[in-house]
């Protein structure tokens, strides 16, 4: 899959280790193998996306397999709804945990190339080093460096996006699987923070240009005992900054359980 230039939208060609367009905009591949296609003038902050600390905590936590049941279900749905997909994209792929598991499963039935896009350089450094068979680029999901109608399968797990941009890069009839928080997700954490914790709103998602063709929730009780796993779990949630150091200390020295409630939705592009 060729990239398109984030500055002038021309197709980029890979010449040695540099992606170049006809207007001589040039983007070097990093030694880890990813390419940074987020031009400085389009960066909103110095180090956008998840920080190194969040990325590291998520990586350690996910590698213990605690969310594997969700990844497995996503992959089953990918096989079921996109059995013939050849070009896939993982949007906000982070350090590539879900990407490489998807790639492995999709390749069991034939050719499948996967691109991963994320705005966090530290996440992609790790991803590219570890998963050589996937093409990773640093870019924003709001302005992706791909041609129109590029992908027949897309995955978006807890990452921001914009409807029109999703629709631009997907092929007509292409499948998009999204994962977001179900009503009970992380409720035990909220109970520790808020006097009257509220569930996530139970709404059916709408994405312009796509038809929702399947929706389900997968739930499990996460039970943690290892202090490092508990600490990593806290850091990777959006609630980490709400806890004081004392609260965190207390939480990591006792057993901890928490609801996991993932909403998985499958869309077909018009
Ligand atoms: C909660 S994480 C999910 C990562 C991965 N899909 C997972 O579940 O492990 C959200 C990811 O979206 C990325 N992200 C945030 N804003 C983004 C943007 N505008 N474009 C692309 N990625 C973005 C973050 O860097 C982070 O890796
Ligand atoms: Zn260019």
């Amino acid at each position: 899959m060729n990239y398109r230039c984030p500055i002038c939208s021309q197709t980029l060609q890979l010449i040695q280790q540099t992606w170049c367009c006809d207007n001589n905009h040039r983007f070097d591949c990093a030694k880890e193998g990813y390419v940074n296609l987020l031009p400085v003038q389009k960066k909103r902050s110095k180090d956008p996306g998840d920080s190194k600390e969040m990325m590291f905590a998520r990586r350690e936590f996910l590698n213990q397999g605690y969310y594997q049941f969700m990844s497995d279900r996503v992959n089953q749905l990918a096989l079921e709804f996109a059995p013939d997909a050849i070009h896939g994209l993982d949007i906000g792929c982070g350090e590539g945990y879900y990407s490489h598991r998807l790639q492995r499963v999709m390749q069991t039935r034939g050719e499948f190339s996967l691109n991963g896009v994320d705005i966090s350089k530290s996440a992609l450094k790790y991803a590219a080093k570890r998963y050589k068979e996937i093409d990773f680029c640093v870019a924003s999901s709001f302005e992706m460096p791909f041609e129109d109608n590029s992908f027949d399968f897309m995955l978006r797990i807890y990452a921001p996006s914009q409807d029109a941009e999703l629709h631009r890069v997907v092929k007509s009839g292409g499948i998009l699987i999204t994962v977001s928080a179900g009503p009970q997700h992380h409720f035990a954490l909220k109970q520790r923070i808020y006097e009257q914790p509220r569930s996530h709103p139970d709404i059916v998602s709408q994405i312009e240009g796509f038809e929702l063709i399947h929706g389900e929730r997968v739930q499990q009780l996460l039970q943690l005992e290892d202090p490092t796993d508990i600490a990593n779990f806290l850091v990777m949630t959006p609630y980490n900054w709400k806890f004081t150091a004392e609260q965190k200390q207390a939480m990591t020295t006792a057993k901890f359980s928490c609801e996991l409630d993932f909403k998985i939705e499958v869309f077909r592009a018009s």
Side-chain angles (χ1 to χ4, degrees), residues 107-157:
Q107 277 184 340
T108 58
R109 24 108 280 173
E111 185 191 345
F112 186 72
S113 71
L114 186 62
N115 282 83
V117 62
D118 199 288
I119 208 164
S120 158
K121 206 158 90 176
S122 23
L124 286 200
K125 259 187 190 165
Y126 174 83
K129 225 191 232 173
R130 186 149 179 193
Y131 308 119
K132 295 286 179 203
E133 66 291 1
I134 302 173
D135 293 320
F136 292 103
C137 69
V138 178
S140 170
S141 53
F142 296 102
E143 214 176 327
M144 295 192 271
F146 305 110
E147 311 277 357
D148 300 358
N149 309 312
S150 289
F151 300 101
D152 39 22
F153 179 80
M154 304 198 300
L155 175 63
R156 190 199 68 191
I157 300 184

Side-chain angles (χ1 to χ4, degrees), residues 46-82:
K46 193 164 166 280
D47 193 14
D50 283 7
S51 65
K52 230 180 191 161
E53 187 201 16
M54 284 170 84
M55 190 282 296
F56 184 78
R58 192 168 62 230
R59 177 183 106 188
E60 294 299 304
F61 182 84
L62 291 177
N63 285 343
Q64 298 294 320
Y66 292 115
Y67 282 15
Q68 192 183 311
F69 69 103
M70 180 266 274
S71 164
D72 286 342
R73 185 61 191 141
V74 163
N75 293 345
Q76 275 173 3
L77 290 168
L79 287 175
E80 186 181 331
F81 286 94

Side-chain angles (χ1 to χ4, degrees), residues 11 14 19 37 43 54 61 87 99 112 117 123 141 150 161 175 183 199 204 213 222 238 264:
T11 304
L14 185 61
W19 287 93
L37 295 174
K43 267 187 176 182
M54 284 170 84
F61 182 84
H87 296 300
S99 328
F112 186 72
V117 62
S141 53
S150 289
S161 66
I175 293 295
S199 330
V204 174
I213 52 173
L222 173 70
I264 308 181

Side-chain angles (χ1 to χ4, degrees), residues 36-255:
N36 189 343
L37 295 174
L38 187 68
V40 193
Q41 59 269 39
K42 296 200 177 177
K43 267 187 176 182
R44 299 235 172 95
S45 67
K46 193 164 166 280
D47 193 14
D50 283 7
S51 65
K52 230 180 191 161
E53 187 201 16
M54 284 170 84
M55 190 282 296
F56 184 78
R58 192 168 62 230
R59 177 183 106 188
E60 294 299 304
F61 182 84
L62 291 177
N63 285 343
Q64 298 294 320
Y66 292 115
Y67 282 15
Q68 192 183 311
F69 69 103
M70 180 266 274
S71 164
D72 286 342
R73 185 61 191 141
V74 163
N75 293 345
Q76 275 173 3
L77 290 168
L79 287 175
E80 186 181 331
F81 286 94
D84 303 321
I86 296 175
H87 296 300
L89 172 65
D90 186 1
I91 298 161
C93 60
E95 60 294 335
Y97 173 78
Y98 301 102
S99 328
H100 92 277
R101 299 192 86 249
L102 172 77
Q103 164 92 345
R104 221 174 40 205
V105 166
M106 293 300 266
Q107 277 184 340
T108 58
R109 24 108 280 173
E111 185 191 345
F112 186 72
S113 71
L114 186 62
N115 282 83
V117 62
D118 199 288
I119 208 164
S120 158
K121 206 158 90 176
S122 23
L124 286 200
K125 259 187 190 165
Y126 174 83
K129 225 191 232 173
R130 186 149 179 193
Y131 308 119
K132 295 286 179 203
E133 66 291 1
I134 302 173
D135 293 320
F136 292 103
C137 69
V138 178
S140 170
S141 53
F142 296 102
E143 214 176 327
M144 295 192 271
F146 305 110
E147 311 277 357
D148 300 358
N149 309 312
S150 289
F151 300 101
D152 39 22
F153 179 80
M154 304 198 300
L155 175 63
R156 190 199 68 191
I157 300 184
Y158 284 96
S161 66
Q162 193 192 47
D163 295 5
E165 186 63 352
L166 290 176
H167 196 252
R168 184 185 68 76
V169 300
V170 75
K171 287 186 182 161
S172 170
I175 293 295
L176 164 68
I177 298 187
T178 65
V179 180
S180 49
Q184 294 306 309
H185 199 51
H186 292 169
F187 201 72
L189 281 182
K190 292 185 186 174
Q191 279 173 317
R192 289 172 187 253
I193 301 168
Y194 307 108
E195 269 182 29
Q196 290 180 318
R198 285 203 222 137
S199 330
H200 283 283
D202 189 7
I203 41 167
V204 174
S205 311
Q206 284 185 333
I207 302 182
E208 221 175 303
F210 292 80
E211 178 197 358
L212 179 68
I213 52 173
H214 175 82
E216 64 179 76
R217 281 163 64 188
V218 289
Q219 290 168 272
Q220 217 175 72
L221 188 67
L222 173 70
Q223 290 175 300
L224 300 175
E225 289 185 14
D226 180 82
T228 309
D229 290 353
I230 299 174
N232 285 335
F233 175 66
L234 292 178
V235 173
M236 69 174 236
T237 71
Y239 306 105
N240 186 41
W241 63 279
K242 300 231 179 212
F243 294 111
T244 61
E246 291 75 33
Q247 280 175 311
K248 285 186 203 169
Q249 173 72 21
M251 283 160 83
T252 49
T253 46
K255 283 187 188 178

Side-chain angles (χ1 to χ4, degrees), residues 5 8 21 23 25:
C5 176
C8 70
C21 72
N23 292 323
H25 299 126

